[in-house]
Amino acid sequence: MTTPFPFTAVVGQDDLRLALLLNAVSPAVGGVLVRGEKGTAKSTAVRALSALLPEVAVVPGCRFSCDPAAPDPACPDGPHETGPGTQRPARMVELPVGASEDRLVGALDIERALAEGVKAFEPGLLADAHRGILYVDEVNLLHDHLVDLLLDAAAMGASYVEREGVSVRHAARFLLVGTMNPEEGELRPQLLDRFGLTVEVAASREPDQRVEVVRRRLAYDDEPAAFTARWADEESSVRARIIAARALLPSVRLGDGALRQIAATCAAFEVDGMRADIVMARTATALAAWAGRTDVLAEDVRQAALLALPHRRRRNPFDAPGLDENKLDDTLEEFAEQEQEQEPTQGPEDDDPGPDGPDGPGGGGGQSPEDDPDAPQGGDTAAQPEAGEGGEPQPSGTGSGEQQPVRASEPFRTKVLSVPGLGQGAAGRRSRARTEHGRTTGARRPQGALTKLHLAATVQAAAPHQLARGRAGRGLVVRRDDLRQATREGREGNLVLFVVDASGSMAARQRMSAVKGAVLSLLLDAYQRRDKVGLVTFRGSAADVALPPTSSVDAAAVRLESLPTGGRTPLAAGLLKAHDVLRVERLRDPARRALVVVVTDGRATGGPEPVALAGRAARLFAADGVASVVVDCESGPVRLGLAGQLAGELEGTAVTLDELRADSIAGLVKDVQRRAA
């Protein structure tokens, strides 16, 4: 068995370690989401936590880890009588990104069903994780069907299985810990809110600290057992502190003053729902217990806000999680002043030093409050992004006629653009596809390994041959030829490749703002439908891959915001560059179908015969059978209809900016369809 890296040997990452320890003290906090760049000890710290958790008492032989002091009356292995039970270490169960639904929730024991003719339930990972840790690495890449099951289990504390003649309910209360790299895409808001706390981690820029990280890692890799033994005392000390904090937790008093601070903070930051208030209250209580106190102080409320609110502040998928600490301090300070005004017994000497007191609003998280001389500096810092967004981006290689980037208009809900036919790509929400998960549409003989058994079809195929096979008992005699694979239909995610005209003909500020708003709206739609996206722009004399295909849709939004405009319109170059991108992606992921969205007014200038060259480039997509749509950005009383001609060459569909809106009355929902050859 691999020796885990000691939790106390992790260098730095104070917020990460604190968030994990608070959940160890009070699992009711609701888990931790760890966001950060690769190579920052995210997985190392999470795996090390399990060694610090106290042992749990379980009913002997129970596959669902029932507590012997209060066994689950509905346990599938029950009923159990109360008793001393047996002790075992707390489990840390890892949920692979590519796990099947059966592996997560459990399923009918096919072997016993066919051999013995009985219905038996085989537990999944949710049962294994009960009263332990459920860890999902790269949680942002988890398939939607698994996310839905996690949401249900996290909300109800139980797993319900209703499938294939099996009806089972069992307890599933676990500490949910997820790690993710935001560069690979964001998390669905529904699952994001289920994590009680979130922390951002990054590699230290201090040379001495980086040296210590390398030194410890090399020592661990050389002799894991010896390295772990050197940290045994520190590990025992932290484990004892967790046990002591758990024992103290029921005695911690969360007073009305602290509750009002929590409510005022959540209201000031306009978080949705009441889960943030509840999580902050539990986190503040756990912080007090971890510090060995029985009263919740203002510093606990401040630290709880820093851990519980950042991921609940996002208003759309393109907002980066975060919390304005200056605003947090101002909110707590304003609340403290209101409390002082409501207390007439306070003397005048209390008016001035309030923020310095032990319960003052400035002492959050062990950090000193911001002094007044720093206030103007904070205001300047807050104003800098506005100035930078308007004029700071200066793209390299600026040419004549280039204009500064303009802001995108407000995004809107777009019509559904889907790829025709039936694909078999990664699970998503855009186009119809044969998938491992979805509604069952039929059965077929397996081609290769059997991945999803269609039980009814298998039994139906084997039933006529039972006498000839000499069946004598209850079990069904099944042979390889009887097995049937379930065929299922769901939705897939596509590669949506945007080809955006950034030339001078598109450079009018209002016009480009509308174009960016349309692309931003399509990006939002791609985020919701779990697509990969890429961005190709063309202007001047060439085309550039502004963003290679990625699952990080918000990265495309950032590139779009700083997109410069100006120069000629090398439409053919843009199409050829997009064709090269698709060719490479087809080698990397041949099952993922592409949808090309060309945003242009259809004009082509520069070089000899630019219109004819653009037509030949467009016909390459038609020859490859690539689904495409042209968003016609032409405006004005006189329209040339060039975008429509380009759509004809692509054998795709043309829509105007107005028709792209879902609430438009210009037409019905338009799927991307190639013209019949």
Side-chain angles (χ1 to χ4, degrees):
M1 181 176 179
T2 304
T3 303
F5 192 90
F7 185 86
T8 52
V10 176
V11 179
Q13 309 296 9
D14 295 337
D15 289 342
L16 169 59
R17 292 190 293 171
L18 177 61
L20 292 172
L21 289 171
L22 292 178
N23 276 273
V25 171
S26 176
V29 167
V32 186
L33 174 64
V34 187
R35 297 166 47 93
E37 58 196 22
K38 51 189 175 294
T40 49
K42 300 188 298 292
S43 300
T44 299
V46 174
R47 293 189 175 100
L49 176 67
S50 60
L52 298 178
L53 297 181
E55 292 186 337
V56 295
V58 298
V59 173
C62 178
R63 297 174 297 168
F64 302 90
S65 302
C66 280
D67 185 351
D72 182 4
C75 176
D77 285 353
H80 305 299
E81 296 183 358
T82 57
T86 59
Q87 299 289 124
R88 66 160 176 80
R91 291 173 179 164
M92 192 197 73
V93 178
E94 293 196 40
L95 172 60
V97 171
S100 66
E101 184 176 337
D102 291 346
R103 185 70 187 98
L104 179 63
V105 301
L108 176 69
D109 190 331
I110 299 296
E111 182 177 352
R112 293 189 61 188
L114 295 178
E116 304 175 21
V118 298
K119 291 193 295 185
F121 179 69
E122 184 177 359
L125 295 178
L126 290 179
D128 293 341
H130 178 48
R131 305 176 66 200
I133 301 174
L134 181 62
Y135 172 48
V136 188
D137 193 14
E138 305 294 351
V139 64
N140 52 324
L141 304 182
L142 198 63
H143 288 172
D144 280 354
H145 67 284
L146 298 182
V147 170
D148 294 336
L149 294 170
L150 276 182
L151 289 175
D152 290 340
M156 298 182 292
S159 175
Y160 293 83
V161 183
E162 300 283 350
R163 54 192 304 176
E164 296 169 343
V166 175
S167 179
V168 174
R169 174 263 177 209
H170 65 83
R173 293 184 297 275
F174 46 81
L175 170 58
L176 180 61
V177 181
T179 56
M180 59 173 285
N181 184 349
E183 295 177 355
E184 297 173 338
E186 285 294 344
L187 200 60
R188 278 177 55 185
Q190 294 92 331
L191 183 57
L192 189 65
D193 188 54
R194 290 294 179 186
F195 287 97
L197 310 179
T198 184
V199 291
E200 295 276 347
V201 296
S204 172
R205 298 298 183 258
E206 294 293 331
D208 291 341
Q209 195 172 69
R210 296 175 73 95
V211 167
E212 185 61 22
V213 170
V214 175
R215 182 182 290 118
R216 293 186 186 183
R217 187 69 210 189
L218 292 178
Y220 169 77
D221 291 341
D222 290 340
E223 298 183 13
F227 181 83
T228 303
R230 290 200 295 271
W231 292 89
D233 292 342
E234 287 82 353
E235 294 280 287
S236 298
S237 176
V238 173
R239 189 180 298 108
R241 188 175 175 185
I242 292 174
I243 295 174
R246 282 188 174 186
L248 182 62
L249 187 65
S251 303
V252 175
R253 176 180 174 272
L254 183 65
D256 289 343
L259 280 173
R260 285 195 295 269
Q261 282 183 317
I262 291 171
T265 302
C266 292
F269 283 97
E270 300 178 352
V271 296
D272 296 330
M274 295 298 298
R275 184 174 284 116
D277 303 65
I278 297 172
V279 170
M280 275 190 64
R282 290 172 174 167
T283 304
T285 304
L287 280 163
W290 178 248
R293 290 184 271 102
T294 56
D295 288 319
V296 174
L297 305 180
E299 63 189 56
D300 300 323
V301 175
R302 183 183 190 277
Q303 185 64 55
L306 292 175
L307 293 173
L309 296 187
H311 59 304
R312 295 183 168 91
R313 283 280 299 140
R314 300 180 68 195
R315 286 294 174 265
N316 66 66
F318 307 134
D319 290 340
L323 201 68
D324 187 344
E325 294 193 37
N326 290 332
K327 181 178 179 180
L328 174 61
D329 291 333
D330 291 343
T331 300
L332 294 175
E333 183 176 354
E334 181 181 353
F335 174 83
E337 291 174 353
Q338 293 175 357
E339 290 290 301
Q340 290 176 359
E341 291 175 358
Q342 295 174 3
E343 295 180 7
T345 58
Q346 286 187 340
E349 67 275 4
D350 294 331
D351 294 340
D352 183 54
D356 296 329
D359 293 338
Q367 298 179 359
S368 61
E370 296 293 335
D371 298 326
D372 287 340
D374 293 336
Q377 180 179 355
D380 292 341
T381 302
Q384 284 176 3
E386 295 182 2
E389 287 167 1
E392 181 181 285
Q394 295 294 336
S396 59
T398 57
S400 60
E402 179 175 304
Q403 300 185 15
Q404 293 180 345
V406 298
R407 285 182 176 274
S409 62
E410 285 297 319
F412 52 85
R413 190 165 63 91
T414 66
K415 291 184 182 296
V416 180
L417 303 176
S418 60
V419 179
L422 197 63
Q424 49 187 357
R429 295 187 169 189
R430 183 172 295 279
S431 306
R432 295 175 54 231
R434 296 187 183 93
T435 61
E436 290 294 323
H437 313 281
R439 63 184 181 91
T440 301
T441 58
R444 59 177 174 81
R445 293 181 181 273
Q447 300 173 351
L450 178 69
T451 57
K452 191 66 179 179
L453 179 71
H454 194 297
L455 183 59
T458 299
V459 172
Q460 186 177 7
H465 308 291
Q466 297 305 296
L467 291 177
R469 295 173 183 176
R471 174 185 171 185
R474 295 179 59 190
L476 195 67
V477 181
V478 180
R479 295 179 179 175
R480 173 71 184 178
D481 291 343
D482 301 327
L483 298 179
R484 294 295 182 269
Q485 171 84 30
T487 57
R488 296 189 170 190
E489 182 176 316
R491 293 279 171 175
E492 67 176 359
N494 298 115
L495 167 59
V496 182
L497 182 61
F498 295 93
V499 185
V500 180
D501 184 350
S503 64
S505 64
M506 303 280 289
R509 296 188 66 85
Q510 291 184 349
R511 186 178 181 187
M512 197 61 200
S513 177
V515 168
K516 285 189 175 183
V519 178
L520 192 64
S521 303
L522 290 168
L523 284 172
L524 180 60
D525 182 69
Y527 166 82
Q528 295 168 340
R529 299 185 187 281
R530 313 296 285 176
D531 294 317
K532 289 181 70 174
V533 298
L535 180 62
V536 173
T537 64
F538 57 94
R539 53 181 285 272
S541 60
D544 297 310
V545 180
L547 183 71
T550 175
S551 297
S552 181
V553 179
D554 53 337
V558 172
R559 302 293 175 88
L560 178 70
E561 190 68 26
S562 60
L563 179 65
T565 57
R568 293 181 178 274
T569 311
L571 177 57
L575 295 175
L576 291 174
K577 180 68 71 175
H579 188 267
D580 288 341
V581 171
L582 292 184
R583 178 178 54 81
V584 174
E585 283 301 307
R586 198 174 293 118
L587 296 175
R588 293 175 177 172
D589 190 358
R592 187 182 291 269
R593 297 186 295 167
L595 171 63
V596 176
V597 179
V598 185
V599 184
T600 181
D601 56 8
R603 289 182 173 86
T605 59
E609 300 183 348
V611 176
L613 187 59
R616 289 197 293 270
R619 286 192 288 273
L620 292 176
F621 291 88
D624 291 342
V626 178
S628 59
V629 60
V630 178
V631 179
D632 185 358
C633 302
E634 191 174 25
S635 60
V638 179
R639 296 176 179 267
L640 302 179
L642 297 177
Q645 297 177 20
L646 176 63
E649 298 285 1
L650 289 166
E651 296 190 3
T653 302
V655 295
T656 65
L657 289 175
D658 290 337
E659 292 173 340
L660 193 61
R661 294 178 178 270
D663 55 358
S664 171
I665 61 174
L668 300 176
V669 173
K670 290 190 176 182
D671 286 350
V672 182
Q673 297 180 345
R674 293 192 303 114
R675 293 186 310 181

